[in-house]
Amino acid sequence: MVRVYNCHPFAAQLIVPVQHEPDTFCCGRDTLFVVSAGCKVEAFNITESGCQPICTCVTLGKVRKITFSGIGDYLATIEEKSKVLSLRVYLNWRGYQARGKSRVGIRMVGHVLQAPFKGAPKDQMEIVEVPLSDPPLSLSCCPVKGDLAVGCHNKVVFFRLKEEMLDGESPVLDFERFLIVHVSLSLLEVAFCDGCLALIADLEVLVLKLDSVQQVERKSQQQTVQEEAPIDEGIDKEDNNPTEAASLSQGQDEFVLFQSPLELLGEDARGSGVLVSLEWTGVEGLTTDLRNNLYLRPILYRRFAPDLSHIYSVEETALHSLQLLPMYSTGDLESDVGSGRKEKQLLSLFCFFSLPHVGYLYAVGNMVQQLSTYSYPEKAKQAVISPQFLHVITRNNLLCYTVRCSAVAARDKDPEMDTNNKACPPFFMPVSALRMQLFIGLRAVCHSRNHLILLAKTECRVPDRQTEPKKGSPQKFKATNKMPSVTSEPGWNLYCLQMVPTVLLCREMVDYSKRYKACSPQSYVHLLSEAHLMLEAALLDPDLCNQTDSEELVPAFKENCAQLGDCYSQFEMDDFHLALPYYKMSGLSLNDLISRRLLWENEHQKFGKGFMYYLKHSIYEDIEEPLNEETANQVLHVFKLAEPTQIPHALCSPCMRNVCLRTAWDHLERLSAISPSPLVMLTKATVALRLEDLQKYQMAMERYTETRLVCGFVAEPNLLRHHGFVATELSCELKRTQPGLLVAVFVALLESNKIQLKEAELFFKALCAKGDEANEEETPQLLVDFWEAMLIACTQEAMVQVLLMKLVSVYVQRTARKQQPDKRPLKTVEDLINSCGHFGRIFSWIHAINAAGRHSQDTSGDLQKLQSILCGFSIDVKSVLPLLHQLPEDEAPGLSIHVLCSVRLGECERVTDQLLDRCPEAVLPFANCEMQQEKQSLWWKKLLPELCKRTKGAGRENRILVASLKETLAMVATTLQPVDFLSILPDDGVASFFLPHLLECSRKNSIT
């Protein structure tokens, strides 16, 4: 759909002062070249005041086509002489006739100036003859590198622009033919830009991209890029059925067969069926390896069926006006004049082509996609596209359409586009047609920066003065009375239309859009979006504007963003969220936006969905610095009018610190009466704390249970923290009076994904910080309580292991340093064992070690919690081993942890030795606990021999070892047979000591 608006894109209409009727012309930035009388080329400098002549030169043949390259500053022509078409390039044309003399040098391409031409005057124009095997039909210059592409009947020849240095003289430009592309199409036009080649035939379009690959097999010199093409079933049947084929051939004079329309984009374009082959011809600059790593990849193919409603001849339906339009990064548009060359940084690339009644625009850069379709009201003769407009000429009208190139380029340039920070109208937005301009007999059009060049020709015929023969009169009578016709001189004009400056045109579009604001908001937004894209194009391409206009671009762009933000915030639109990025891009402060909206007359449109979306996002997420009291009170007033339920959230935002607390309390009182909730009460408690009214604080906190209060905190995390880890007044009060509630809230926040574990840890460290550098490394007990509470609630195995290691590290550190926590823990070891499966019941033999060590300093239970974790089965013991160096084994706490880890690793024999050496009181409890089932043999294989060896010679002095030995003998006696029991007794043992146990073993076995 095309929207039509009555906006005028042209500011002035001038006449180009040419003396003879123009045959053809071309433009290059600010330069116009007009060919007249077949061989005369006049160059003009295009300025705001008109076209100023630069020079005039004469070509060797009659110019059929001409083009100009800003890179290298050369002219390329297709000339006809003696019915032979030739390609020539004109260098240093600016120096021609510079001193009133005509100096011309002619050479062949590839033959640079040598003696005697060395030291030729700088004002001498050079004509470079470019021989071709086939007659040239079209040509195109790469605007990025200056390379030349020449189209013949079914091939394209590429010439690389290069510089030759001659014995320290100034560089000389030359061309090198390096590639020939053969295609199975009858080419009409070619376009080339930075490795992208576009071709059109009568009804076919093919766009190829020259790519490089890292790893490819060596191929032959001709590389074919071909896929299985879709074959029409009718044609297939014709080939396979000779009879039917014969019948069809007989009717060829009566029928014309057309292939069905087809569009292939991206990788699908390989299936076009068009044969493409490469023939490398260059010697310099392209090695064999590089050639093998380059290939042409089809990225776009489109085939059209002729428009039978308008068909009169092939020319009536053929494609025309093929162009590749590049857009560059800002500041990369300066083209050096003369031999200086500066490659431009390509940002986006677009391809345009047109049928007589429809035009098509595609993006062929980072993405391949159709952007727009242009339907003309009448047959188009030619079309030219620029980053801002598409200009189309018909027989008597100049049409102007908007384009979507800047929408694509803005997204290619800025990855932050289409986020909450930046926005741009979509590239699929319907295009607009601006005011139609009447011209009589339009023939050709060309675009040059801020000007449009038009050629108009009219022929005035004097009617034949003859006597009209009557019906049935003889032909002889008619011939006798016919007088010779008289044709006057054809009338022609070459116009130079100056474009309206971008800022002025956008202002006109904004003024024009206001008539749609009330009756058609969509049209109003559409026109503002059109203005935005024009400003975006000018910002991306400063070459479009003069210096004065450029200085006004940024303020105009920000003003347009503010207007678009007003639209999306005022009207009920599906994409109301776009108000946020547009307001951000406008540069207006929150106070400015609120103040001007309060002046609007229509009350219900002041604060629509879009504005509230922007306001909430700004207050809750973006604004970091506190607002002043006036602005904060205005924000509160807006929420009161539009969304009262958001008042608690707004008051909890850190940027609302300066709000009037009495006013905030009054708003919360009214809200609690209408819609009470835990969040409202918690916000009231926060305000009461800031008012230093503890009575109101207590009343608010006692209104709901702790479980309900936790839900309120989850609904608004900013009640407790600002900027991630800065504690609020409420957090400090809860730390002092209700630490358990504070811990429970952060557990709930973490489970609801409102915060991350790292954020919670930073918060508790900041909350409990004492400002003492010596205590910075100590872990606050409140953070340990949080980890313990998280371990109780957590179900994710990975998180469980992380929490267990954090707790083990703290417990080990405190136990090793005999540190006391900064406050009483919320849960004892018994609480954790009863509520958390990751804490195990402490083994009885561990209690024996603890009792023997008399570790009375463990009042906080850190050692017991550590032992409980190791007695459980959740933690990976191997991850604890690197921490054990902090706990020496010669003390009971360290011994208990070391032996627990060894037991978990299955090293019972080693533990037995450790206990016998350092804590023999725990040996029997350990054996009773661990030496069971498959480990029961350790009683007589390990424990009994060790006890016998250690008690030998000690007599009755070592009562603990003797008692342990007796208990061990009693246990073994109940398990083994008398013979086996006797075999394990020491040979040098005292019979009176061992005999009772041997008798007991025999008695029990005799009974059984």
Side-chain angles (χ1 to χ4, degrees), residues 151-172:
C152 301
H153 174 63
N154 54 7
K155 67 181 180 182
V156 181
V157 185
F158 287 93
F159 293 89
R160 183 171 64 91
L161 180 64
K162 63 179 183 178
E163 292 180 347
E164 293 286 347
M165 302 298 296
L166 297 176
D167 299 334
E169 298 288 337
S170 59
V172 177

Side-chain angles (χ1 to χ4, degrees), residues 975-993:
T975 306
L976 298 180
Q977 296 293 328
V979 177
D980 296 330
F981 182 73
L982 183 60
S983 64
I984 65 173
L985 295 178
D987 297 335
D988 55 350
V990 179
S992 61
F993 183 83

Side-chain angles (χ1 to χ4, degrees), residues 717-729:
N718 281 334
L719 281 165
L720 297 176
R721 65 188 187 117
H722 290 162
H723 307 299
F725 58 88
V726 179
T728 63
E729 293 88 347

